[in-house]
Amino acid sequence: MIITKKYFSVLLCLTFFSSFLSAQQKAKRGDGFYKKEMQSLQAAINKNFYNQASGYYKIVIDSTQWEVKNGFLRKYTYFWAHCALYQAANEIEKLEPKDELMASIEKQLTYYYDTAAPAPGYSDYIMKLKPGERYYDDNQWIGITALNAYARTNQKKDLELGKAMYNFMMTGHDQVLGGGLYWKEGSTSSKNTCSNGPGVLVALQLYRATKNKAYLDTALKIFDWTNEKLQAPNKLYYDNIKTADGKVDGPILSYNTGTMLESNVYLYEITKDKKYLTEANAIADSSLTFFYGRDKFRDGYWFNAVLLRAYQHLLKYNKDTKYVMGFKKCLDNALQNEKNNQGVFTGKDGVQNLVEQGGMLEILARFAWLEKNNNLASTKR
């Protein structure tokens, strides 16, 4: 092929222009990029999901997708979304302590509070609008966030909320299959990683806060049971085990891996036993390929937010940023391809529901923190 002088000049100009655009994009995604995205999503959530007249958040934006359950129309959000927003608010307050966002979410939590025996806890739907069911994991996510906040602010109310969530979750523990927690109250068909992994975290955080050894004993008991019954050969975690026949069932999801990975990090912090850090690194290595090897999230934003918590915690002891950077490729893909003209995210199923917006908000808040404190802005995007 003969390259003429004119062709070479055009090629040089195109190369320069391409480099210029790349430099512009890097500048655009410099310090503060994820914080701006976080703030944009905050505004979009408030605009599109909050219903001023009722004081409640909508379950989804599109009214044609509201749900009918047990004969009742449910247009306001399930409690799970508030679990997501509550943790996101905690992460935003780390960046902007004066925002005091958690208080407004705590007000929303009261609408779901159910004092029924055997222990008070949160229902999955607004009590005055026909209450639903009580899930152990819903209550555990709230306990985890409250105890995160307690470690940050030392406010007694947060510790008390963490203890209350522990008390509720333990009503779902028995010796069927040798231990473990059920998924939801009144249903004994399965014991799930999504109720046992966060249960370990609640107990470990309470131990860290109080030094009461009973919490550590509980944490280790549930931790060992979950590893025995639900850990897959690739170090990740199955969804559940059936109580009728002990059959392991369900997909491998990022949030289940996240809670157990972070449990190992907490146990390393508490015990100084290196076996937990070794296991945390092994789980992180396997999860990086499995969940982020395609540069696109394979399950929901909120599920991934829980695994990001573990990656961020692990950074304290393993300074290799490969886990966070692998996650970041998927995040950047979502920012480029999954954000619509309303400023919210569609996710893999195309539905703009509140729990996924809360999950993405937490992710962006965490990356805003990492961008500020771990110099992610200077790395190649």
Side-chain angles (χ1 to χ4, degrees):
M1 177 180 178
I2 300 173
I3 300 178
T4 65
K5 184 175 181 181
K6 181 178 180 181
Y7 180 85
F8 182 77
S9 297
V10 172
L11 185 63
L12 188 64
C13 288
L14 287 173
T15 302
F16 175 79
F17 185 65
S18 176
S19 298
F20 174 73
L21 286 178
S22 179
Q24 273 198 324
Q25 183 151 357
K26 284 184 180 181
K28 179 182 177 183
R29 292 195 173 191
D31 290 336
F33 170 75
Y34 292 110
K35 184 177 180 180
K36 290 174 185 175
E37 289 288 341
M38 177 196 80
Q39 292 169 334
S40 173
L41 181 55
Q42 270 186 286
I45 289 171
N46 288 331
K47 179 180 179 181
N48 293 291
F49 284 92
Y50 185 68
N51 182 272
Q52 192 73 40
S54 66
Y56 304 137
Y57 283 87
K58 293 183 289 185
I59 186 172
V60 292
I61 295 174
D62 185 354
S63 61
T64 66
Q65 296 172 340
W66 290 346
E67 298 181 2
V68 175
K69 188 170 182 181
N70 298 329
F72 292 89
L73 178 66
R74 293 192 165 185
K75 62 181 179 179
Y76 300 117
T77 193
Y78 288 98
F79 187 70
W80 184 18
H82 288 300
C83 300
L85 292 174
Y86 195 38
Q87 186 70 48
N90 183 66
E91 302 314 309
I92 294 169
E93 284 193 13
K94 290 179 183 177
L95 291 165
E96 303 290 342
K98 294 181 181 179
D99 282 3
E100 297 184 355
L101 297 175
M102 297 188 76
S104 65
I105 304 299
E106 286 163 1
K107 180 181 178 181
Q108 292 286 325
L109 301 186
T110 63
Y111 304 144
Y112 300 78
Y113 191 63
D114 181 0
T115 59
Y122 291 101
S123 170
D124 75 336
Y125 202 66
I126 299 164
M127 291 294 291
K128 68 184 292 186
L129 300 178
K130 187 65 178 178
E133 302 167 295
R134 298 200 296 188
Y135 289 79
Y136 297 112
D137 65 324
D138 282 358
N139 287 265
Q140 289 161 341
W141 302 122
I142 295 301
I144 287 168
T145 301
L147 292 166
N148 285 167
Y150 179 72
R152 179 171 58 86
T153 67
N154 204 37
Q155 292 190 45
K156 186 178 179 181
K157 67 177 180 63
D158 296 322
L159 178 60
E160 293 307 311
L161 180 53
K163 288 179 178 179
M165 296 300 90
Y166 174 89
N167 291 338
F168 176 73
M169 83 176 193
M170 291 308 292
T171 66
H173 183 275
D174 65 19
Q175 291 305 309
V176 173
L177 295 177
L181 293 151
Y182 295 104
W183 179 34
K184 66 177 179 179
E185 192 174 46
S187 176
T188 59
S189 62
S190 69
K191 293 188 173 183
N192 297 48
T193 308
C194 75
S195 50
N196 284 279
V200 177
L201 290 175
V202 171
L204 288 174
Q205 288 177 271
L206 279 170
Y207 173 74
R208 189 176 67 168
T210 66
K211 297 300 184 287
N212 182 340
K213 190 174 179 295
Y215 292 128
L216 179 58
D217 291 341
T218 297
L220 288 169
K221 180 168 55 178
I222 299 172
F223 176 83
D224 290 340
W225 181 89
T226 307
N227 283 322
E228 178 189 346
K229 301 294 186 182
L230 289 161
Q231 189 171 31
N234 65 357
K235 293 288 186 181
L236 308 182
Y237 290 83
Y238 298 116
D239 183 73
N240 68 81
I241 182 169
K242 304 301 182 186
T243 54
D245 56 11
K247 180 184 176 182
V248 174
D249 195 18
I252 291 175
L253 298 167
S254 51
Y255 76 143
N256 288 329
T257 294
T259 56
M260 292 303 290
L261 170 52
E262 189 167 19
S263 293
N264 276 283
V265 179
Y266 270 117
L267 283 167
Y268 173 66
E269 284 182 333
I270 291 167
T271 68
K272 307 305 180 187
D273 189 332
K274 289 187 178 180
K275 73 178 182 182
Y276 295 115
L277 183 58
T278 298
E279 181 69 1
N281 288 326
I283 295 171
D285 284 338
S286 183
S287 68
L288 180 61
T289 303
F290 186 87
F291 293 113
Y292 308 118
R294 300 177 300 173
D295 295 347
K296 185 175 182 179
F297 292 130
R298 67 181 294 155
D299 50 20
Y301 303 133
W302 184 81
F303 286 177
N304 285 283
V306 177
L307 182 48
L308 178 59
R309 299 174 192 177
Y311 283 174
Q312 191 174 356
H313 199 164
L314 182 59
L315 263 179
K316 291 175 65 176
Y317 308 102
N318 179 348
K319 301 302 181 183
D320 192 335
T321 60
K322 65 181 179 180
Y323 311 116
V324 169
M325 297 307 293
F327 190 106
K328 190 171 84 65
K329 289 179 182 179
C330 301
L331 172 58
D332 288 346
N333 182 298
L335 288 169
Q336 183 174 351
N337 299 303
E338 298 172 12
K339 186 177 180 181
N340 68 16
N341 57 11
Q342 294 172 296
V344 299
F345 291 80
T346 54
K348 67 176 184 178
D349 60 4
V351 177
Q352 297 123 45
N353 66 60
L354 184 57
V355 69
E356 298 297 8
Q357 309 311 312
M360 178 57 80
L361 188 61
E362 179 186 343
I363 289 169
L364 290 170
R366 288 182 178 278
F367 266 85
W369 192 92
L370 288 165
E371 190 175 44
K372 178 180 178 182
N373 294 283
N374 288 71
N375 199 30
L376 292 188
S378 65
T379 60
K380 184 178 180 181
R381 294 183 185 277

